[in-house]
């Protein structure tokens, strides 16, 4: 489920609507090209689906036993691949990414796999509360990566959020 929530924004990018074409009251965000993106297309639905997917994924992982070892992750990743392939086939998207994106996707996949493994190990060892708090910080990592990788500027509220999240991690570490 988490894989589907994460891939939705990539598979369905927002469409740009010129101000003269905006006939609905849900016009909310300015697109880089100077047009507008509808509120629905600006990512709210994608964010909700991603959050639900990640939440269900972490809850399901926390319910596994230590006897299962790493098999829950194997099952989760296998299911994600099958769902991804089915969605691509139905929507007519290519299964193989563009050559320039493969390295980034590999790094993202390895990072995601390592994070899921760490969460599973923490859940199996009884440190679920700490793992849940740290796992909830993944949007902050996304903001930082956007800043570092593509030079995206952080809005004031994002900077404040990153600071508060960093302080929470420090407080959690010393508690």
């Amino acid at each position: 489920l988490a894989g589907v929530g994460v891939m939705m924004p990539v598979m369905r990018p927002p469409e740009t609507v010129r101000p003269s074409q905006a006939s609905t009251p849900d016009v909310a965000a300015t697109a880089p090209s100077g047009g507008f993106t509808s509120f629905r297309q600006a990512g709210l639905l994608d964010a909700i689906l991603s959050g639900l997917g990640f939440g269900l994924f972490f809850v399901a992982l926390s319910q596994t036993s230590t006897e299962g070892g790493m098999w829950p992750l194997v099952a989760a990743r296998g299911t994600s691949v099958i769902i991804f392939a089915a969605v691509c086939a139905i929507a007519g998207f290519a299964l193989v990414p563009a050559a320039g994106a493969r390295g980034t996707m590999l790094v993202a996949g390895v990072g995601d796999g390592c994070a899921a493994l760490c969460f599973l190990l923490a859940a199996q060892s009884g440190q679920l509360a700490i793992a849940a708090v740290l796992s909830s910080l993944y949007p902050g990592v996304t903001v930082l990566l956007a800043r570092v990788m593509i030079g995206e500027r952080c809005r004031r509220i994002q900077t404040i959020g990153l600071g508060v999240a960093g302080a929470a991690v420090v407080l959690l570490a010393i508690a």
Side-chain angles (χ1 to χ4, degrees):
L1 288 174
V4 173
V6 170
M7 74 182 179
M8 289 305 290
V10 176
M11 294 179 61
R12 188 177 50 83
E15 297 176 20
T16 300
V17 179
R18 297 276 173 222
S20 61
Q21 298 170 328
S23 60
T24 59
D26 63 349
V27 173
T30 303
S33 63
F36 292 93
T37 312
S38 74
F39 185 77
R40 183 186 63 228
Q41 294 169 333
L44 179 62
L45 179 62
D46 294 333
I48 290 169
L49 289 174
S50 294
L52 286 172
F54 277 111
L56 290 172
F57 176 69
F58 289 135
V59 167
L61 276 184
S62 71
Q63 299 301 311
T64 62
S65 69
T66 55
E67 290 82 26
M70 300 305 131
W71 284 108
L73 289 180
V74 173
R77 294 305 176 236
T79 303
S80 293
V81 168
I82 292 168
I83 292 172
F84 180 76
V87 169
C88 285
I90 291 168
F93 292 110
L95 280 173
V96 179
R102 291 179 188 154
T104 303
M105 291 178 74
L106 178 65
V107 170
V110 169
D112 174 61
C114 289
L117 176 62
C118 289
F119 181 87
L120 179 65
L121 293 173
Q124 289 177 346
S125 70
Q127 300 295 323
L128 185 57
I130 295 171
V133 171
L134 293 176
S135 296
S136 70
L137 298 176
Y138 75 88
V141 175
T142 303
V143 170
L144 290 174
L145 283 173
R147 175 73 180 131
V148 171
M149 300 295 288
I150 62 174
E152 185 173 306
R153 294 176 54 184
C154 291
R155 295 180 301 167
R156 182 177 174 168
I157 192 72
Q158 289 174 312
T159 304
I160 292 169
L162 288 171
V164 170
V169 170
V170 170
L171 290 173
L172 187 62
I174 61 175

